[in-house]
């Protein structure tokens, strides 16, 4: 069987409400090349697999379903979907996100074909929160392109559902092995950094996708213990790569951002050890911009004000 130029891959688990929209966005792509669609379904407890199989029966020459009788976990599910991709390029879309631009793949493949020194290209996107759309999230931002390793370690600017990457880089990096070894709870962000260490990163300003924000999830909810673990993983990744790729000059910036965000968890988790950590750091700070953080660290009677500001911000984001 002739290899397709592009493999699209989706990992999905308990996405029965969203998976049809995800698949439709892929199948509506208009391209002058062939592509395959790998859907890795991780033994969902709802009707996700049933919906996926219905689409596979409708498009048997394009869609390949990977599943099993047991749940293998997100990391292994992603790994087996990656192994199944035969294309020169791989595009990503998780099961609760969806593509909105029918020319997304064509635009990105045209870019990568014309720029062999670029290993990954991504785009702007919209956010769906509580059925309300925040359009063009990256529209007014200066998104870095080219050699962006240091910038990417400082902060992630890449949304998974917008990514198209060269498959040979995925095979070379083998991100699943790195994640298991480091025991990280996220895989996409380390992958972007590893790719940035090997190649340039491109950006297309068009909005091609919708990222669905679940405010009950670990990353977007008020599950403080879960959020704290995610937060710690993110900064472990930043420090790990700053040292691995000899970007130690950005460690002070990473430390500053870490302690500013740590204060939130110190307050909401009522954790004295975390609070003392923040006090120690901000007492040594030399800029006025850190004064409010020092005040919130030292004076617990201000906690209610801090919580009000934070929750109001959360409500505003959810209502946009």
């Amino acid at each position: 069987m002739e290899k397709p130029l592009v493999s699209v891959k989706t990992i999905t688990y308990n996405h029965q409400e969203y998976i049809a929209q995800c698949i439709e966005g892929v199948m509506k792509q208009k391209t002058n090349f062939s592509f395959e669609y790998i859907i890795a379904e991780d033994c969902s407890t709802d009707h996700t697999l049933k919906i996926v199989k219905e689409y596979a029966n409708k498009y048997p020459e394009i869609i390949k379903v990977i599943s099993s009788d047991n749940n293998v976990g997100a990391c292994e599910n992603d790994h087996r979907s990656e192994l199944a991709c035969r294309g020169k390029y791989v595009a990503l879309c998780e099961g609760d996100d969806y593509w909105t631009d029918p020319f997304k793949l064509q635009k990105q493949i045209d870019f990568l074909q014309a720029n062999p020194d670029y290993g990954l290209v991504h785009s702007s996107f919209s956010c769906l929160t509580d059925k309300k759309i925040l359009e063009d999230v990256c529209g007014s931002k200066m998104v870095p392109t080219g050699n962006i390793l240091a910038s990417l370690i400082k902060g992630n600017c890449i949304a998974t559902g917008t990514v198209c990457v060269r498959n040979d880089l995925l095979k070379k990096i083998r991100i699943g092995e790195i994640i298991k070894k480091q025991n990280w709870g996220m895989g996409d962000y380390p992958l972007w950094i590893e790719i940035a260490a090997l190649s340039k990163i491109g950006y297309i300003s068009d909005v091609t996708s919708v990222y669905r924000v679940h405010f009950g999830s670990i990353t977007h909810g008020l599950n403080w213990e879960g959020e704290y673990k995610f937060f710690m993983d993110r900064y472990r990744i930043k420090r790990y790569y700053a040292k691995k790729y000899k970007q130690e000059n950005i460690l002070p910036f990473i430390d500053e951002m870490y302690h500013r965000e740590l204060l939130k968890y110190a307050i909401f988790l009522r954790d004295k050890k975390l609070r003392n950590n923040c006090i120690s750091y901000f007492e040594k700070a030399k800029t006025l911009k850190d004064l409010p953080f020092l005040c919130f660290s030292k004076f617990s009677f201000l906690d209610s004000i801090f919580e009000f500001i934070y929750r109001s911000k959360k409500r505003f984001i959810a209502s946009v």
Side-chain angles (χ1 to χ4, degrees):
M1 184 183 294
E2 183 180 355
K3 286 186 179 181
L5 182 65
V6 180
S7 298
V8 181
K9 80 182 188 79
T10 289
I11 59 171
T12 183
Y13 175 72
N14 283 359
H15 288 149
Q16 66 175 13
E17 297 177 44
Y18 319 116
I19 192 62
Q21 192 172 26
C22 174
I23 296 172
E24 290 284 353
V26 174
M27 298 312 301
K28 289 178 180 177
Q29 292 298 297
K30 302 181 186 301
T31 66
N32 60 15
F33 51 80
S34 62
F35 67 88
E36 65 178 357
Y37 188 13
I38 310 298
I39 305 177
E41 194 283 328
D42 198 13
C43 199
S44 298
T45 58
D46 61 9
H47 296 295
T48 300
L49 180 59
K50 178 176 179 289
I51 297 168
V52 167
K53 285 185 173 179
E54 288 173 354
Y55 276 97
N57 291 333
K58 185 177 180 181
Y59 303 102
E61 295 181 356
I62 299 176
I63 297 178
K64 177 183 178 182
V65 180
I66 300 174
S67 191
S68 58
D69 294 331
N70 301 301
N71 181 276
V72 299
C75 186
E76 179 57 33
N77 195 34
D78 184 66
H79 178 61
R80 65 185 182 179
S81 70
E82 188 175 298
L83 291 177
C85 292
R86 299 177 298 139
K88 181 178 180 180
Y89 306 100
V90 177
L92 314 178
C93 189
E94 296 185 341
D96 52 346
D97 299 334
Y98 59 97
W99 293 349
T100 54
D101 184 349
F103 297 99
K104 174 192 184 293
L105 279 183
Q106 187 68 58
K107 292 173 183 177
Q108 295 188 315
I109 298 307
D110 287 347
F111 178 90
L112 291 173
Q113 294 276 51
N115 298 277
D117 53 338
Y118 282 72
L120 178 152
V121 61
H122 66 110
S123 74
S124 187
F125 61 98
S126 297
C127 271
L128 179 58
T129 62
D130 193 26
K131 298 183 179 180
K132 297 177 182 178
I133 291 279
L134 175 60
E135 301 282 359
D136 198 0
V137 172
C138 300
S140 59
K141 299 177 182 177
M142 293 294 293
V143 178
T145 61
N147 296 308
I148 67 167
L149 178 61
S151 175
L152 195 54
I153 294 173
K154 289 170 72 174
N156 184 26
C157 60
I158 300 174
T160 303
T162 74
V163 165
C164 189
V165 60
R166 296 184 189 275
N167 200 359
D168 61 345
L169 286 178
L170 296 179
K171 288 178 167 42
K172 182 177 182 178
I173 292 167
R174 303 171 73 163
I175 195 64
E177 295 178 8
I178 298 173
I179 294 165
K180 287 181 181 179
K181 183 178 180 180
Q182 298 299 327
N183 194 29
W184 292 329
M186 66 182 79
D188 293 348
Y189 184 33
L191 178 58
W192 313 152
I193 296 174
E194 291 283 0
I195 293 171
L198 297 172
S199 71
K200 294 179 180 178
I201 302 291
Y203 172 72
I204 296 172
S205 61
D206 298 351
V207 174
T208 67
S209 313
V210 170
Y211 170 60
R212 198 183 301 268
V213 178
H214 303 285
F215 279 95
S217 69
I218 287 177
T219 53
H220 295 289
L222 295 177
N223 170 11
W224 293 113
E225 289 79 10
E227 274 204 32
Y228 177 66
K229 291 178 182 178
F230 190 84
F231 156 79
M232 288 300 295
D233 263 0
R234 180 156 30 93
Y235 279 94
R236 282 175 57 212
I237 290 167
K238 290 174 183 290
R239 293 187 179 109
Y240 172 84
Y241 282 115
K243 294 175 181 178
K244 177 178 179 179
Y245 291 119
K246 304 190 184 307
Q247 302 287 327
E248 287 93 343
N249 61 307
I250 66 174
L251 283 172
F253 174 86
I254 292 173
D255 252 7
E256 182 182 3
M257 294 300 102
Y258 167 78
H259 283 92
R260 288 185 179 191
E261 197 170 353
L262 182 66
L263 176 60
K264 173 178 66 178
Y265 298 103
I267 291 174
F268 280 99
L269 291 173
R270 304 291 189 265
D271 191 309
K272 290 183 179 179
K273 185 177 179 180
L274 295 184
R275 187 186 287 272
N276 288 335
N277 186 321
C278 292
I279 292 172
S280 297
Y281 177 83
F282 289 116
E283 280 183 334
K284 299 174 185 176
K286 298 177 181 179
T287 61
L288 287 175
K289 63 183 180 182
D290 287 318
L291 182 59
F293 295 95
L294 177 60
C295 291
F296 279 119
S297 299
K298 294 187 75 170
F299 305 118
S300 58
F301 67 85
L302 296 175
D303 285 2
S304 58
I305 297 175
F306 182 93
E307 291 182 18
F308 174 79
I309 293 171
Y310 183 81
R311 292 181 188 278
S312 296
K313 182 179 177 182
K314 278 278 187 179
R315 284 193 294 269
F316 172 76
I317 293 172
S319 66
V320 170

